[in-house]
Amino acid sequence: GASTVTDTNSVLRTAVLSALEAIPTRNNAESLAKSDQLQGLTVNSDGVVGFIIETEDGASPEAEALRKAAEDAVSAVPGVSRVTAVLTAHQNAPSGNTRMRKGDNLAQRDAKTAKTPAAQRPSLPGVKSVIAVASAKGGVGKSSVAVNLAVTCAQLGMKVGLLDADVYGPSIPTMMGTVKASPKQKKGKLIPVEAHGVKTMSIGYLADQDAPMVWRGAIVVSAINQMLNDVDWGELDILFIDTPPGTGDTQLTLVQRAPLTGAIIVSTPQEIALADVRRGVAMFRKTHTPIIGVIENMAWFEDPASGQRSYIFGQGGAERTAKELEAPFLGHAPILTDIREGGDNGAPAVTTSAPSRDIFRPLAEQVIASLESPLKKPAPRIIFE
């Protein structure tokens, strides 16, 4: 763990580490501070502390108890203003009955994992490509882009799935007109809800639509993992994942855990959003996820009577930023009342409105084409903070 420590306030950092010294790991062999389970400790000058605890089994009750103990211990350190402790499952963690036990060594564990049936491993058999639709900030219309892209790909003859991983504000059920649906179960797997030619799954089907989602990062990640792995997606050409907005720990963990083929970043044109595009591109590059492209949403408003375009948020900012970052630019989507109304009514705009189809069809065609030409892994670049 020590190699991933960010040293921005050495006195406070030492105090935080000594608080974590007092926390025994589950097998009591060593303190959390000295174990490999502690990752990415950051201590900044305002006393904000963040760290990740990697566990064999994600958000189990024991792991959550360890996380809570660590968070409480660090909160009590004088000078610490806020603590964010996130649980993640170890990247190569075996699933189900192959949990690490006291005295296991890595070779024994790997031998067990090798015997684990493929269906129990966290991969998606039958799914050819998995694409994250992401935005570095909320309110840019990411979900409406994800919905209309997914439905357009289905209209173009692809087998498409859409996973609503935005657990804080699951909007896919509303936009797809499936609010009242509840997924059926078959052989211990959830069957996706089909709408407009797309197989969908959302936390909104499993939780009360009106209940606020006040969840910690760890639980979010395990909920998303479950929706990926405990759903019978069947044969799919593309599974789109509508991810939670932002570039924090939850997003980073999701990106590292989901078997992503690539990512699409949705932005609006104004300057404030462009700093976010840089952060989003940097996050995906950091995790070696190819960028399929940037889509500039709400690019302009077209007066239905005169056809005049008004560039409310400024013009072409996301396109310039994509060029600057050497990320492909997929195109613009204007502010269309059809898109908003379609989202509110549960009938995606591309199913009812010709102007919307004209916008999303070239975007979808480019996404499909990018999957047919192998995506090159980007060279490591400067990470913008």
Side-chain angles (χ1 to χ4, degrees), residues 46-216:
D46 301 330
V48 176
V49 177
F51 54 91
I52 290 170
I53 300 174
E54 286 208 327
T55 74
E56 289 304 325
D57 44 12
S60 69
E62 301 94 328
E64 176 54 31
L66 175 65
R67 189 202 63 74
K68 182 84 175 71
E71 192 172 73
D72 291 350
V74 173
S75 298
V77 172
V80 169
S81 59
R82 186 160 58 84
V83 183
T84 304
V86 176
L87 281 181
T88 66
H90 191 277
Q91 191 120 27
N92 304 316
S95 62
N97 55 6
T98 57
R99 220 170 257 181
M100 188 82 155
R101 276 179 287 277
K102 195 171 173 178
D104 271 7
N105 65 27
L106 285 173
Q108 286 169 333
R109 191 188 71 184
D110 290 343
K112 282 181 187 163
T113 309
K115 288 185 195 132
T116 307
Q120 286 178 19
R121 287 190 208 152
S123 73
L124 297 175
V127 177
K128 288 183 190 160
S129 49
V130 181
I131 298 175
V133 180
S135 66
K137 64 194 274 293
V140 299
K142 167 184 57 66
S143 295
S144 69
V145 168
V147 162
N148 284 291
L149 260 187
V151 173
T152 305
C153 286
Q155 290 171 341
L156 291 168
M158 309 296 279
K159 295 192 190 96
V160 182
L162 176 59
L163 170 60
D164 184 359
D166 188 352
V167 295
Y168 299 111
S171 50
I172 299 299
T174 303
M175 292 183 169
M176 293 294 268
T178 51
V179 170
K180 295 196 164 54
S182 58
K184 295 182 174 46
Q185 292 209 20
K186 185 175 158 193
K187 292 182 185 164
K189 292 241 173 186
L190 290 169
I191 305 300
V193 174
E194 293 212 27
H196 310 293
V198 174
K199 291 180 176 178
T200 69
M201 181 52 64
S202 169
I203 205 85
Y205 299 145
L206 311 172
D208 177 357
Q209 277 282 315
D210 300 322
M213 296 284 181
V214 189
W215 287 11
R216 292 188 173 279

Side-chain angles (χ1 to χ4, degrees), residues 238-293:
I238 306 174
L239 174 61
F240 288 101
I241 303 185
D242 183 20
T243 63
T247 52
D249 287 334
T250 304
Q251 289 78 5
L252 201 59
T253 309
L254 169 62
V255 167
Q256 286 167 323
R257 299 292 179 265
L260 291 183
T261 313
I264 292 167
I265 293 175
V266 180
S267 177
T268 45
Q270 71 271 47
E271 282 306 316
I272 185 82
L274 303 181
D276 292 307
V277 172
R278 291 189 183 94
R279 276 208 293 279
V281 168
M283 174 181 78
F284 285 111
R285 289 207 164 129
K286 204 187 259 181
T287 54
H288 305 294
T289 304
I291 309 280
I292 290 171

Side-chain angles (χ1 to χ4, degrees), residues 218-241:
I219 310 300
V220 171
V221 172
S222 69
I224 292 165
N225 271 335
Q226 202 169 345
M227 287 195 292
L228 275 168
N229 298 309
D230 294 353
V231 172
D232 183 0
W233 290 104
E235 298 288 319
L236 291 182
D237 295 310
I238 306 174
L239 174 61
F240 288 101
I241 303 185

